[in-house]
Amino acid sequence: MHINCDCCVADSSLRLGRRSLLVGAASVFAATALPNAAARAASPVAKTALAPAEALKLMKEGNQNFRNEAPSLAANGRERRLELARGQAPFCVLVGCSDSRVSPEILFGRGLGELFIVRNAGNTVDTAALGSIEYAVGVLGVPLVIVLGHQSCGAVAAAVDVVQKNATFPGVIGEMVQPIVPAVLEAKSQGGDLLEASVRNNARRVAKRLTTQSLVIKDALDAGKVKVVGARYGLSDGHVEWMEDI
């Protein structure tokens, strides 16, 4: 007689590789380390059935509706809250800037439980951010990742000042903007508005790195299960410019 146990499950997960290990670890953690209610909330319900292209189309349509000031049809009421209490099944990971003027659900007309959002100044991706993105793609089955830069980004402007003026900043702000510096150096050779070119380069570079440095994301890309795109949001016109050829 064969008896399944946690040890067997763990050993099997190790043999299945990093992607399977991520799924297995999340399940074990939810079952053993969290209270019952939290474990249920961490366990995903049925994953979205949207293909990557369909998810991107929804985001494009949502931004168009925002620009046209169309009434929002996003589900945010009591019934939706109760549904989401059983689990989440977002269809898009949005890697965005912490800037208060760039609120993803509003810009794309989405409701509760639809976007898995990772935000920090300059929309960069560190270890914690990457792990969050991998969880969304590898465990929740999210088919779309958008890296969203924006017009007049303060973090990118700080990186421009580092390059042009050898500027320094208090605390760890300087360390925070260092990953953006390569995008600025690249933009210097392109001519035109350095800040705006750097914003676009930064979003494109971060998106490209996700496709090459993460095995979880690369596996999903190879299987046609996810699409990764860069984007730039205009503060003044509300328009999102898409960079799909990363």
Side-chain angles (χ1 to χ4, degrees), residues 42-65:
S43 300
V45 295
K47 299 173 182 178
T48 180
L50 290 173
E54 294 171 328
L56 182 57
K57 181 181 178 182
L58 278 181
M59 295 296 281
K60 290 181 177 180
E61 290 175 349
N63 178 246
Q64 185 66 34
N65 290 337

Side-chain angles (χ1 to χ4, degrees), residues 78-99:
R78 179 178 180 275
E79 290 186 7
R80 180 61 171 161
R81 293 198 305 271
L82 291 174
E83 177 186 359
L84 291 170
R86 298 193 297 269
Q88 63 171 323
F91 72 84
C92 175
V93 178
L94 196 294
V95 183
C97 183
S98 298
D99 194 297

Side-chain angles (χ1 to χ4, degrees), residues 61-71 237:
E61 290 175 349
N63 178 246
Q64 185 66 34
N65 290 337
F66 168 72
R67 291 182 65 203
N68 293 336
E69 300 185 358
D237 61 12

Side-chain angles (χ1 to χ4, degrees), residues 23-241:
V23 177
S27 300
V28 171
F29 179 78
T32 61
L34 297 174
N36 290 338
R40 288 195 300 271
S43 300
V45 295
K47 299 173 182 178
T48 180
L50 290 173
E54 294 171 328
L56 182 57
K57 181 181 178 182
L58 278 181
M59 295 296 281
K60 290 181 177 180
E61 290 175 349
N63 178 246
Q64 185 66 34
N65 290 337
F66 168 72
R67 291 182 65 203
N68 293 336
E69 300 185 358
S72 176
L73 301 177
N76 292 314
R78 179 178 180 275
E79 290 186 7
R80 180 61 171 161
R81 293 198 305 271
L82 291 174
E83 177 186 359
L84 291 170
R86 298 193 297 269
Q88 63 171 323
F91 72 84
C92 175
V93 178
L94 196 294
V95 183
C97 183
S98 298
D99 194 297
S100 61
R101 301 165 292 180
V102 188
S103 299
E105 286 94 347
I106 296 176
L107 307 185
F108 296 100
R110 309 319 312 177
L112 289 172
E114 294 187 304
L115 304 183
F116 192 95
I117 298 173
V118 178
R119 296 181 71 178
N120 56 53
N123 46 272
T124 57
V125 172
D126 58 11
T127 300
L130 181 58
S132 300
I133 299 165
E134 288 187 338
Y135 177 81
V137 173
V139 179
L140 300 181
V142 176
L144 176 65
V145 179
I146 297 173
V147 180
L148 182 67
H150 69 90
Q151 177 186 7
S152 302
C153 178
V156 177
V160 170
D161 284 345
V162 169
V163 171
Q164 290 191 313
K165 306 173 184 178
N166 198 27
T168 59
F169 302 93
V172 298
I173 298 175
E175 295 178 32
M176 179 191 70
V177 303
Q178 277 300 314
I180 306 173
V181 168
V184 179
L185 294 174
E186 180 182 341
K188 285 189 69 177
S189 65
Q190 297 171 339
D193 187 311
L194 181 58
L195 175 56
E196 286 304 307
S198 298
V199 166
R200 289 175 173 84
N201 285 352
N202 185 48
R204 186 181 290 108
R205 286 173 60 88
V206 172
K208 182 65 176 179
R209 281 179 47 233
L210 291 177
T211 69
T212 59
Q213 294 187 356
S214 167
L215 293 179
V216 173
I217 297 172
K218 188 176 184 303
D219 286 348
L221 279 168
D222 292 343
K225 294 181 178 179
V226 73
K227 184 177 181 64
V228 181
V229 303
R232 179 263 188 195
Y233 170 68
L235 296 176
S236 54
D237 61 12
H239 174 66
V240 172
E241 170 191 340

